Amino acid sequence: HTPQSLIDQGFSPEILQAHDVGIDRRNDRITFPVRDVLGRLVAISGRASNDWQIPRYKVYDAVSPSSTRKAGELYGVVDRYIPHNRDHLYGLHTVYPERFFEPDKEHSPLIITEGYKSTLHLRQVGFTHAVGLQGSSLTAMQLRALTKMRGPYYLMLDNEPGKAYPDRKGRCAAVHILRQLRRSGRAFLCMYDEERPVRTAPDDIKDPQELHYMIQHAMTLGQIATSFR
């Protein structure tokens, strides 16, 4: 079933169905399949439908078949596969073939977001080469996958201290990610308009022109260093 709550937020049924977004009615969560670069299902992440639910995101593990499970229970052990979803980028399997096998083609901007909703929203409004970190940090496996995409990379984290700009201690996830990426190609940070409130995410920006502006005026590490002083 397609989550009505996401449709109410402006997501089209077509984009949700194309990415197999569903509902876990038992646990009241919206489910996002995570696939590897070949499109194989490696995990399912469930996003809380209500603010009071903890944790906000839950990655489901897969219990082994019933026959194995019964045998395991006999000895007090249940075999489980624990997915490593952070080894993968959400939506990469639809981007990888074109960017990897057609390196000389002029591609759409490769936009890196934090998660599922932002990635889907960007794709819905025309930025088809958007992928999600499933967090605000870049893992070694994700970096390895991105190095094969041949950038340039446009990082679009949520507009929060410690993420898109430094917190009180001067820490900034975006700067750290750009440093990881710059060895593999040009990397830019998409900055939000000063009037945008804290916690604004890419999926909160409904006007594609504003997103285009953010990409066109994205900043390099050198420009960021000057801007954050």
Side-chain angles (χ1 to χ4, degrees):
H1 298 281
T2 305
Q4 184 62 43
S5 60
L6 292 187
I7 295 176
D8 293 341
Q9 293 175 36
F11 291 92
S12 69
E14 292 75 19
I15 196 75
L16 298 177
Q17 291 167 7
H19 293 80
D20 299 317
V21 181
I23 305 172
D24 174 6
R25 296 190 183 281
R26 180 177 180 180
N27 294 289
D28 197 17
R29 290 181 177 272
I30 299 170
T31 56
F32 300 89
V34 180
R35 302 184 183 278
D36 68 10
V37 69
L38 299 178
R40 297 173 298 192
L41 183 67
V42 294
I44 297 176
S45 180
R47 186 183 191 278
S49 299
N50 302 289
D51 292 337
W52 51 263
Q53 287 177 273
I54 299 175
R56 185 179 183 188
Y57 286 96
K58 172 185 177 181
V59 179
Y60 298 88
D61 61 350
V63 181
S64 57
S66 57
S67 59
T68 306
R69 183 176 181 178
K70 289 179 180 178
E73 287 175 345
L74 182 64
Y75 297 98
V77 176
V78 176
D79 295 330
R80 288 181 180 273
Y81 164 68
I82 307 226
H84 299 282
N85 63 306
R86 290 297 317 282
D87 285 350
H88 309 276
L89 290 143
Y90 180 65
L92 180 64
H93 66 288
T94 65
V95 175
Y96 181 87
E98 182 179 345
R99 295 193 83 100
F100 183 77
F101 293 107
E102 300 180 56
D104 298 325
K105 180 180 177 181
E106 185 176 346
H107 297 294
S108 302
L110 180 56
I111 307 174
I112 304 169
T113 76
E114 286 190 37
Y116 315 109
K117 290 175 59 182
S118 293
T119 299
L120 292 176
H121 173 66
L122 286 168
R123 291 186 173 200
Q124 179 170 295
V125 298
F127 300 98
T128 54
H129 286 197
V131 296
L133 295 171
Q134 305 176 79
S136 57
S137 63
L138 180 64
T139 68
M141 291 293 289
Q142 290 173 335
L143 176 60
R144 185 179 302 176
L146 284 171
T147 59
K148 300 176 181 179
M149 297 295 101
R150 295 178 172 85
Y153 311 103
Y154 292 87
L155 186 61
M156 195 178 290
L157 299 184
D158 294 355
N159 189 34
E160 295 183 33
K163 291 185 177 180
Y165 58 91
D167 59 17
R168 292 181 180 178
K169 296 183 179 180
R171 295 173 298 194
C172 183
V175 169
H176 183 63
I177 293 173
L178 291 184
R179 285 174 177 160
Q180 292 175 277
L181 287 171
R182 68 177 176 179
R183 298 176 182 176
S184 306
R186 292 176 295 156
F188 303 88
L189 175 62
C190 299
M191 306 292 291
Y192 290 84
D193 186 283
E194 292 181 356
E195 295 183 359
R196 282 288 178 182
V198 174
R199 293 190 177 87
T200 296
D203 53 289
D204 294 318
I205 301 176
K206 306 305 180 185
D207 183 1
Q209 292 304 315
E210 183 175 348
L211 294 166
H212 273 290
Y213 184 89
M214 292 173 66
I215 293 169
Q216 292 168 355
H217 294 81
M219 302 172 68
T220 63
L221 267 175
Q223 293 170 324
I224 291 169
T226 302
S227 174
F228 286 170
R229 286 177 182 173

